[in-house]
Amino acid sequence: MPIKLPSTLPAYAVLTDEGVMVMDEELASHQDIRPLKIGLLNLMPKKIQTETQFARLIGATPLQIELTLIRMSDHATRNTAVEHMESFYRPFSDIQGEKFDGLIITGAPIEHLDFESVSYWDELKQIMDWTQTNVHSTFGVCWGGMAMLHHFHDVPKHLLETKLFGAYRHSNLNPSSPYLRGFSDECVVPVSRWTEVRRKEVEAAGLPILLGSDVTGPCLIEDPTHRALYILNHFEYDSDTLKQEYDRDLANNQIEGAEIQLPYGYFPNDDPAQRPLNRWRSHAHLLYGNWLSEIYLTTPYDMDRIGQDRTDLRG
């Protein structure tokens, strides 16, 4: 089954060209099934790139997905056209009375700030609490995952001396997890962050770590009590996303004079003139497909029941 997107959304044309099944509202209305209602709270500055990356992953399963793009109510983006935001995004204040099968909270390039110093922190706390009554399963990504760990469990984020930047191998620490169904013993995951959460502090909070690395620390964390997953790295990245960040940092370096590190394990032979190879795409599709499958198996058919019964509906 395809993902339902407005035909004028840039992701619609991109994914159609890639062979991803997409449908518009008119075609979807002819199918007599209940699609999974998934929200994307997009906190990244490059909204179109990010919405396309996540739509690609959640649109690759046999399930019909209805994607809702969500923004903070009073925070104006400076990197995406106002017309795009008004046409395709809904503020949280408009959707807070609705129920969702799943919600993705993206990262944000504000790692250097304390959580409480973020301009929209109060509303984000409201959203995280709202997930407990209105969302069946939540997926926090990078800074979004760290924010949820901080809010629900007081797990701190720590600033790093150098940026974790590259494509790192991670170990499968819980092969029996339904979220890692089909995963290899190791997988490569893109990493790009200046902060970390530490394994001992995550384990002290009673949270199982599903994927991790001795170099980059915890990667995928499950939070059964809050029906959530937290991934601190970027399976959703395109093949050239790390290259774009590297090129941007090189350009900024001409002004700031900071030393720019080559992304680890990314360019063939560590040669930035060569085209980087995507070594994470299959596991990215597995992870998000497994997440959606778990939602499909456990979410109530009657959406009014979402958030009322926190037990696993599979028994």
Side-chain angles (χ1 to χ4, degrees), residues 28-42:
S29 64
H30 293 289
Q31 293 195 323
D32 188 21
I33 60 174
R34 178 172 98 66
L36 290 182
K37 187 176 179 181
I38 306 296
L40 176 66
L41 179 61
N42 192 349

PDB file of all heavy atoms in Angstrom, residues 28-42:
ATOM      1  N   ALA A  28      -7.006   7.803  -2.430  1.00  0.00           N
ATOM      2  CA  ALA A  28      -7.084   7.161  -1.121  1.00  0.00           C
ATOM      3  C   ALA A  28      -8.524   7.003  -0.655  1.00  0.00           C
ATOM      4  O   ALA A  28      -8.875   6.040   0.031  1.00  0.00           O
ATOM      5  CB  ALA A  28      -6.286   7.956  -0.097  1.00  0.00           C
ATOM      6  N   SER A  29      -9.380   7.945  -1.037  1.00  0.00           N
ATOM      7  CA  SER A  29     -10.769   7.916  -0.580  1.00  0.00           C
ATOM      8  C   SER A  29     -11.538   6.717  -1.135  1.00  0.00           C
ATOM      9  O   SER A  29     -12.590   6.344  -0.615  1.00  0.00           O
ATOM     10  CB  SER A  29     -11.485   9.210  -0.984  1.00  0.00           C
ATOM     11  OG  SER A  29     -11.567   9.320  -2.398  1.00  0.00           O
ATOM     12  N   HIS A  30     -11.016   6.082  -2.188  1.00  0.00           N
ATOM     13  CA  HIS A  30     -11.692   4.938  -2.791  1.00  0.00           C
ATOM     14  C   HIS A  30     -11.314   3.618  -2.113  1.00  0.00           C
ATOM     15  O   HIS A  30     -11.886   2.575  -2.446  1.00  0.00           O
ATOM     16  CB  HIS A  30     -11.362   4.851  -4.282  1.00  0.00           C
ATOM     17  CG  HIS A  30     -11.918   5.990  -5.085  1.00  0.00           C
ATOM     18  ND1 HIS A  30     -13.263   6.149  -5.338  1.00  0.00           N
ATOM     19  CD2 HIS A  30     -11.298   7.045  -5.675  1.00  0.00           C
ATOM     20  CE1 HIS A  30     -13.455   7.250  -6.056  1.00  0.00           C
ATOM     21  NE2 HIS A  30     -12.269   7.809  -6.273  1.00  0.00           N
ATOM     22  N   GLN A  31     -10.347   3.641  -1.180  1.00  0.00           N
ATOM     23  CA  GLN A  31      -9.936   2.419  -0.505  1.00  0.00           C
ATOM     24  C   GLN A  31     -10.662   2.303   0.829  1.00  0.00           C
ATOM     25  O   GLN A  31     -10.597   3.207   1.665  1.00  0.00           O
ATOM     26  CB  GLN A  31      -8.415   2.420  -0.283  1.00  0.00           C
ATOM     27  CG  GLN A  31      -7.631   2.346  -1.589  1.00  0.00           C
ATOM     28  CD  GLN A  31      -6.192   1.974  -1.339  1.00  0.00           C
ATOM     29  OE1 GLN A  31      -5.596   2.391  -0.375  1.00  0.00           O
ATOM     30  NE2 GLN A  31      -5.644   1.156  -2.233  1.00  0.00           N
ATOM     31  N   ASP A  32     -11.337   1.192   1.032  1.00  0.00           N
ATOM     32  CA  ASP A  32     -12.158   0.991   2.218  1.00  0.00           C
ATOM     33  C   ASP A  32     -11.332   0.346   3.330  1.00  0.00           C
ATOM     34  O   ASP A  32     -11.590  -0.775   3.769  1.00  0.00           O
ATOM     35  CB  ASP A  32     -13.368   0.123   1.871  1.00  0.00           C
ATOM     36  CG  ASP A  32     -14.358   0.041   3.018  1.00  0.00           C
ATOM     37  OD1 ASP A  32     -14.315   0.941   3.889  1.00  0.00           O
ATOM     38  OD2 ASP A  32     -15.145  -0.913   3.057  1.00  0.00           O
ATOM     39  N   ILE A  33     -10.300   1.054   3.802  1.00  0.00           N
ATOM     40  CA  ILE A  33      -9.471   0.588   4.907  1.00  0.00           C
ATOM     41  C   ILE A  33      -9.132   1.795   5.777  1.00  0.00           C
ATOM     42  O   ILE A  33      -9.264   2.943   5.344  1.00  0.00           O
ATOM     43  CB  ILE A  33      -8.158  -0.068   4.416  1.00  0.00           C
ATOM     44  CG1 ILE A  33      -7.331   0.943   3.609  1.00  0.00           C
ATOM     45  CG2 ILE A  33      -8.421  -1.320   3.617  1.00  0.00           C
ATOM     46  CD1 ILE A  33      -5.968   0.403   3.213  1.00  0.00           C
ATOM     47  N   ARG A  34      -8.716   1.514   7.024  1.00  0.00           N
ATOM     48  CA  ARG A  34      -8.251   2.615   7.866  1.00  0.00           C
ATOM     49  C   ARG A  34      -6.747   2.731   7.758  1.00  0.00           C
ATOM     50  O   ARG A  34      -6.017   1.820   8.156  1.00  0.00           O
ATOM     51  CB  ARG A  34      -8.647   2.394   9.330  1.00  0.00           C
ATOM     52  CG  ARG A  34      -8.126   3.525  10.230  1.00  0.00           C
ATOM     53  CD  ARG A  34      -8.655   3.457  11.627  1.00  0.00           C
ATOM     54  NE  ARG A  34      -7.799   2.855  12.609  1.00  0.00           N
ATOM     55  CZ  ARG A  34      -6.622   3.332  13.036  1.00  0.00           C
ATOM     56  NH1 ARG A  34      -6.103   4.421  12.484  1.00  0.00           N
ATOM     57  NH2 ARG A  34      -5.952   2.706  13.967  1.00  0.00           N
ATOM     58  N   PRO A  35      -6.238   3.815   7.186  1.00  0.00           N
ATOM     59  CA  PRO A  35      -4.782   3.972   7.122  1.00  0.00           C
ATOM     60  C   PRO A  35      -4.215   4.255   8.504  1.00  0.00           C
ATOM     61  O   PRO A  35      -4.923   4.718   9.410  1.00  0.00           O
ATOM     62  CB  PRO A  35      -4.607   5.181   6.195  1.00  0.00           C
ATOM     63  CG  PRO A  35      -5.854   5.977   6.392  1.00  0.00           C
ATOM     64  CD  PRO A  35      -6.951   4.971   6.618  1.00  0.00           C
ATOM     65  N   LEU A  36      -2.941   3.975   8.689  1.00  0.00           N
ATOM     66  CA  LEU A  36      -2.262   4.394   9.905  1.00  0.00           C
ATOM     67  C   LEU A  36      -2.018   5.893   9.828  1.00  0.00           C
ATOM     68  O   LEU A  36      -1.478   6.408   8.850  1.00  0.00           O
ATOM     69  CB  LEU A  36      -0.930   3.655  10.065  1.00  0.00           C
ATOM     70  CG  LEU A  36      -0.994   2.163  10.393  1.00  0.00           C
ATOM     71  CD1 LEU A  36       0.413   1.609  10.574  1.00  0.00           C
ATOM     72  CD2 LEU A  36      -1.834   1.900  11.632  1.00  0.00           C
ATOM     73  N   LYS A  37      -2.403   6.582  10.866  1.00  0.00           N
ATOM     74  CA  LYS A  37      -2.245   8.032  10.907  1.00  0.00           C
ATOM     75  C   LYS A  37      -0.943   8.359  11.628  1.00  0.00           C
ATOM     76  O   LYS A  37      -0.821   8.143  12.836  1.00  0.00           O
ATOM     77  CB  LYS A  37      -3.442   8.671  11.618  1.00  0.00           C
ATOM     78  CG  LYS A  37      -3.469  10.188  11.563  1.00  0.00           C
ATOM     79  CD  LYS A  37      -4.739  10.731  12.204  1.00  0.00           C
ATOM     80  CE  LYS A  37      -4.759  12.257  12.185  1.00  0.00           C
ATOM     81  NZ  LYS A  37      -5.992  12.785  12.843  1.00  0.00           N
ATOM     82  N   ILE A  38       0.028   8.855  10.875  1.00  0.00           N
ATOM     83  CA  ILE A  38       1.364   9.140  11.401  1.00  0.00           C
ATOM     84  C   ILE A  38       1.625  10.640  11.313  1.00  0.00           C
ATOM     85  O   ILE A  38       1.418  11.257  10.267  1.00  0.00           O
ATOM     86  CB  ILE A  38       2.450   8.379  10.619  1.00  0.00           C
ATOM     87  CG1 ILE A  38       2.144   6.870  10.580  1.00  0.00           C
ATOM     88  CG2 ILE A  38       3.825   8.648  11.232  1.00  0.00           C
ATOM     89  CD1 ILE A  38       2.168   6.191  11.927  1.00  0.00           C
ATOM     90  N   GLY A  39       2.080  11.227  12.399  1.00  0.00           N
ATOM     91  CA  GLY A  39       2.463  12.638  12.410  1.00  0.00           C
ATOM     92  C   GLY A  39       3.968  12.790  12.360  1.00  0.00           C
ATOM     93  O   GLY A  39       4.711  11.955  12.889  1.00  0.00           O
ATOM     94  N   LEU A  40       4.427  13.844  11.701  1.00  0.00           N
ATOM     95  CA  LEU A  40       5.854  14.184  11.664  1.00  0.00           C
ATOM     96  C   LEU A  40       6.011  15.590  12.214  1.00  0.00           C
ATOM     97  O   LEU A  40       5.649  16.570  11.554  1.00  0.00           O
ATOM     98  CB  LEU A  40       6.401  14.105  10.237  1.00  0.00           C
ATOM     99  CG  LEU A  40       7.870  14.533  10.067  1.00  0.00           C
ATOM    100  CD1 LEU A  40       8.809  13.567  10.779  1.00  0.00           C
ATOM    101  CD2 LEU A  40       8.253  14.624   8.578  1.00  0.00           C
ATOM    102  N   LEU A  41       6.514  15.695  13.445  1.00  0.00           N
ATOM    103  CA  LEU A  41       6.830  17.000  14.029  1.00  0.00           C
ATOM    104  C   LEU A  41       8.235  17.358  13.550  1.00  0.00           C
ATOM    105  O   LEU A  41       9.230  16.840  14.061  1.00  0.00           O
ATOM    106  CB  LEU A  41       6.762  16.945  15.550  1.00  0.00           C
ATOM    107  CG  LEU A  41       7.105  18.252  16.280  1.00  0.00           C
ATOM    108  CD1 LEU A  41       6.138  19.368  15.908  1.00  0.00           C
ATOM    109  CD2 LEU A  41       7.146  18.043  17.791  1.00  0.00           C
ATOM    110  N   ASN A  42       8.308  18.225  12.566  1.00  0.00           N
ATOM    111  CA  ASN A  42       9.552  18.505  11.859  1.00  0.00           C
ATOM    112  C   ASN A  42      10.227  19.733  12.465  1.00  0.00           C
ATOM    113  O   ASN A  42       9.794  20.868  12.246  1.00  0.00           O
ATOM    114  CB  ASN A  42       9.262  18.730  10.374  1.00  0.00           C
ATOM    115  CG  ASN A  42      10.518  18.739   9.527  1.00  0.00           C
ATOM    116  OD1 ASN A  42      11.632  18.772  10.041  1.00  0.00           O
ATOM    117  ND2 ASN A  42      10.345  18.714   8.214  1.00  0.00           N
TER     118      ASN A  42
END
